[in-house]
């Protein structure tokens, strides 16, 4: 089983939505990530150079989200997965994107996608 590095409920302000009023404002988006990564070298060395730098991942995902102006959370989730798989040494990523309060009476609505291939 592959180790996982995660980032949970990372909050970003972004333009997202299909309605005209949504295209005029920034809304809070929550992003959670699980990324397959072999952490054994980092566990032995105790050196950040041997692990997945989740701060760098968070900064890149925030920039992508803030600059993108997506209509659908599905499109944003796909773009985040493509960015992570294309820029970091991870074979697999699980992305959860939610819009808190988008539906009256709900805490969150959104999507969860998985891309790549888990490996040992």
């Amino acid at each position: 089983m592959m180790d996982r590095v995660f980032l949970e409920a990372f909050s970003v302000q972004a333009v997202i939505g299909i309605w005209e009023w949504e295209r005029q404002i920034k809304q809070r988006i929550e992003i959670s990530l699980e990324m397959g990564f072999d952490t054994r070298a980092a566990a032995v060395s105790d050196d950040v150079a041997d692990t997945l730098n989740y701060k760098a991942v968070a900064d890149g995902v925030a920039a992508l989200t803030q600059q993108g102006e997506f209509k659908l959370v599905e499109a944003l989730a796909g773009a985040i997965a493509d960015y992570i798989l294309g820029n970091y040494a991870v074979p697999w990523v699980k992305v959860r994107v939610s819009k808190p309060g988008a539906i009256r009476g709900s805490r969150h609505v959104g999507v969860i996608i998985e891309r790549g291939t888990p490996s040992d």
Side-chain angles (χ1 to χ4, degrees):
M1 170 144 314
M2 171 68 61
D3 300 333
R4 296 176 185 201
V5 174
F6 71 92
L7 177 66
E8 189 171 316
F10 177 59
S11 185
V12 179
Q13 294 289 321
V15 173
I16 191 164
I18 60 170
W19 307 111
E20 186 57 36
W21 67 266
E22 291 180 298
R23 311 303 300 153
Q24 306 303 316
I25 64 169
K26 290 193 176 193
Q27 299 180 67
R28 187 171 133 239
I29 305 298
E30 283 192 4
I31 301 165
S32 294
L33 306 170
E34 287 184 28
M35 298 162 283
F37 189 83
D38 187 345
T39 64
R40 289 178 286 194
V44 171
S45 71
D46 201 21
D47 186 340
V48 71
D50 291 330
T51 195
L52 178 60
N53 185 334
Y54 48 79
K55 169 82 166 89
V57 172
D59 289 346
V61 167
L64 172 73
T65 302
Q66 292 166 339
Q67 296 166 6
E69 297 193 12
F70 296 91
K71 291 182 180 174
L72 301 176
V73 292
E74 292 86 347
L76 174 56
I80 291 170
D82 290 344
Y83 166 77
I84 291 170
L85 291 171
N87 290 282
Y88 299 94
V90 300
W92 170 88
V93 64
K94 181 177 181 179
V95 179
R96 176 185 166 138
V97 175
S98 66
K99 289 174 62 173
I103 300 294
R104 185 171 300 166
S106 71
R107 187 173 298 157
H108 294 273
V109 297
V111 298
I112 300 170
I113 67 168
E114 296 182 32
R115 299 291 186 268
T117 306
S119 62
D120 291 328

